[in-house]
């Protein structure tokens, strides 16, 4: 048994990121950009020992989730956020809801577990959005990143 701790003790493994944590970090970095950027730009600002291919994988996943856009076939590929972290969470919630056969039950269950403050916030957000503004696009709702798309 090694009592000096020079070989008998194992270092704790690197902390595993929570689900979506890396996506949130990439979105945060993209949110700092004033124009579309390359994956290398994102990697440089993440500064967490990630590989280029990991950043590309995350950007590709975010693109599949419609949380980022990318340029066409020209090189270099440029990326920009469609939604911020809150918008990405909203997209995830929407996808989960879309997979359910009993949407009413899911929504009722969600509302039943909200705190009183969150329930009041939800009510005020629904009142603000009005009945005609339900576009079905969570990326354009509360928490979405601003875009340069014209209104209307």
């Amino acid at each position: 048994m090694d009592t000096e701790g020079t070989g008998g003790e194992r270092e704790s493994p690197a902390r595993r990121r929570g689900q979506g944590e890396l996506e949130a970090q990439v979105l945060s970095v993209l949110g700092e950009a004033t124009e579309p950027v390359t994956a290398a730009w994102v990697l440089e600002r993440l500064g967490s020992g990630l590989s280029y291919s990991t950043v590309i994988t995350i950007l590709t996943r975010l693109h599949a989730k419609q949380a980022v856009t990318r340029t066409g076939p020209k090189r270099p590929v440029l990326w920009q956020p469609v939604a911020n972290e809150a918008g990405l969470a909203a997209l995830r919630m929407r996808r989960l809801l879309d997979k359910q056969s009993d949407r009413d039950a899911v929504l009722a269950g969600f509302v039943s577990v909200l705190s009183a403050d969150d329930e009041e916030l939800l009510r005020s957000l629904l009142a603000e959005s009005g009945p005609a503004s339900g576009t079905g696009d969570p990326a354009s709702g509360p928490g979405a990143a601003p875009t340069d798309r014209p209104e209307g």
Side-chain angles (χ1 to χ4, degrees):
M1 177 181 226
D2 186 2
T3 57
E4 296 180 27
T6 58
E9 295 178 15
R10 300 179 109 187
E11 288 186 31
S12 62
R15 183 183 73 81
R16 185 166 174 87
R17 289 180 182 88
Q19 183 177 3
E21 186 177 339
L22 191 51
E23 289 178 353
Q25 290 173 347
V26 168
L27 277 176
S28 179
V29 166
L30 281 174
E32 297 169 6
T34 58
E35 59 189 5
V37 296
T38 64
W41 187 93
V42 173
L43 176 62
E44 181 180 311
R45 277 148 188 86
L46 283 171
S48 58
L50 297 172
S51 70
Y52 180 80
S53 63
T54 298
V55 172
I56 289 292
T57 298
I58 296 302
L59 287 167
T60 302
R61 286 180 185 166
L62 289 169
H63 184 259
K65 295 175 180 182
Q66 300 176 341
V68 300
T69 59
R70 57 173 278 164
T71 58
K74 67 181 181 177
R75 298 286 186 224
V77 173
L78 300 176
W79 304 85
Q80 73 182 96
V82 170
N84 59 15
E85 290 178 52
L88 181 58
L91 287 168
R92 284 188 194 123
M93 292 167 60
R94 173 64 186 266
R95 275 195 310 279
L96 287 171
L97 184 60
D98 287 345
K99 292 178 183 177
Q100 303 303 312
S101 59
D102 189 351
R103 295 172 70 94
D104 291 352
V106 173
L107 288 170
F110 176 71
V111 170
S112 72
V113 297
L114 290 176
S115 69
D117 289 342
D118 286 344
E119 188 175 340
E120 184 57 38
L121 175 59
L122 182 57
R123 287 181 193 280
S124 75
L125 291 170
L126 289 170
E128 279 178 25
S129 69
S133 25
T135 64
D137 181 9
S140 65
T147 64
D148 293 330
R149 290 181 287 187
E151 294 289 313

